[in-house]
Amino acid sequence: DQQVKQNSPSLSVQEGRISILNCDYTNSMFDYFLWYKKYPAEGPTFLISISSIKDKNEDGRFTVFLNKSAKHLSLHIVPSQPGDSAVYFCAAKVYSSASKIIFGSGTRLSIRP
Amino acid sequence: DVKVTQSSRYLVKRTGEKVFLECVQDMDHENMFWYRQDPGLGLRLIYFSYDVKMKEKGDIPEGYSVSREKKERFSLILESASTNQTSMYLCASRSSPDTQYFGPGTRLTVL
């Protein structure tokens, strides 16, 4: 049973446009949500996070939105750049757990010229 | 600059061999993790260590063990490698609740 779901395995966006990556979750006991970016042959790198008490967090071109009632979060990248082409993982941390971070299956984002 | 290193980028082993994957971090983090990444499944937690000599099973610990004798080093051991353990293995360490730093990964192939 996947508690964190990324239903789109891939996404193609034109350079300069907005990229929107989506993630759904089923567990109400998550207190932090995170996005990681992964290039081939490299480990994931932390991108941005949001606490469950907030509904938006922004960092430069990256904005994460959290809709708790819908159990949905999204990552917006504006404007999209060629270097954004990577696999993006959504992850969620279980409240009061030091170790329990559940990852989604990832979405491969391709930015086309 | 934070750094997590893994002993090998690529490894090929035979079924039944004992395999050691090493991970070293230079950030003095207490928490270290081992994950495996498989297509369509994301990252799954194998083991977690919250201090020297302390460990906790993750979601898929069967067939694996770990060792943490020093704070900076966390080892994953495949006692008897099997073909279904062919995967990408990722080590991570963590400072704050929401930030993990990952190593580059070890792609293990078990023949």
Side-chain angles (χ1 to χ4, degrees), chain B residues 21-41:
Chain B
L21 302 181
E22 304 283 337
C23 175
V24 177
Q25 51 103 354
D26 64 358
M27 297 162 282
D28 203 35
H29 290 164
E30 291 180 347
N31 299 331
M32 296 187 73
F33 306 79
W34 275 106
Y35 293 89
R36 61 178 282 178
Q37 181 197 353
D38 299 290
L41 297 176

Side-chain angles (χ1 to χ4, degrees), chain B residues 94-107:
Chain B
R94 188 175 76 201
S95 56
S96 62
D98 62 347
T99 306
Q100 282 182 317
Y101 297 91
F102 283 86
T106 296
R107 184 163 293 283

Side-chain angles (χ1 to χ4, degrees), chain A residues 27-74:
Chain A
N27 192 336
S28 299
M29 296 302 290
F30 293 138
D31 63 351
Y32 266 99
F33 299 90
L34 311 92
W35 285 94
Y36 284 84
K37 175 180 177 178
K38 185 181 185 300
Y39 292 120
E42 293 184 15
T45 54
F46 171 75
L47 198 55
I48 191 169
S49 66
I50 187 168
S51 165
S52 61
I53 62 173
K54 296 188 176 181
D55 53 20
K56 178 182 174 182
N57 188 27
E58 195 170 351
D59 184 3
R61 296 186 299 115
F62 302 93
T63 303
V64 56
F65 295 93
L66 176 61
N67 182 334
K68 286 187 287 292
S69 60
K71 291 191 171 65
H72 177 85
L73 69 156
S74 60

Side-chain angles (χ1 to χ4, degrees), chain B residues 17-81:
Chain B
E17 280 193 75
K18 191 168 186 175
V19 181
F20 293 87
L21 302 181
E22 304 283 337
C23 175
V24 177
Q25 51 103 354
D26 64 358
M27 297 162 282
D28 203 35
H29 290 164
E30 291 180 347
N31 299 331
M32 296 187 73
F33 306 79
W34 275 106
Y35 293 89
R36 61 178 282 178
Q37 181 197 353
D38 299 290
L41 297 176
L43 278 67
R44 293 179 292 166
L45 181 65
I46 305 171
Y47 263 100
F48 159 66
S49 170
Y50 48 94
D51 204 346
V52 175
K53 296 190 188 295
M54 308 301 282
K55 62 186 179 185
E56 188 176 301
K57 291 180 180 179
D59 297 318
I60 50 166
E62 297 77 20
Y64 303 94
S65 62
V66 290
S67 171
R68 187 139 180 232
E69 297 296 320
K70 293 184 178 180
K71 192 174 187 179
E72 67 270 17
R73 189 180 297 270
F74 191 33
S75 303
L76 180 70
I77 303 153
L78 286 66
E79 298 291 343
S80 177

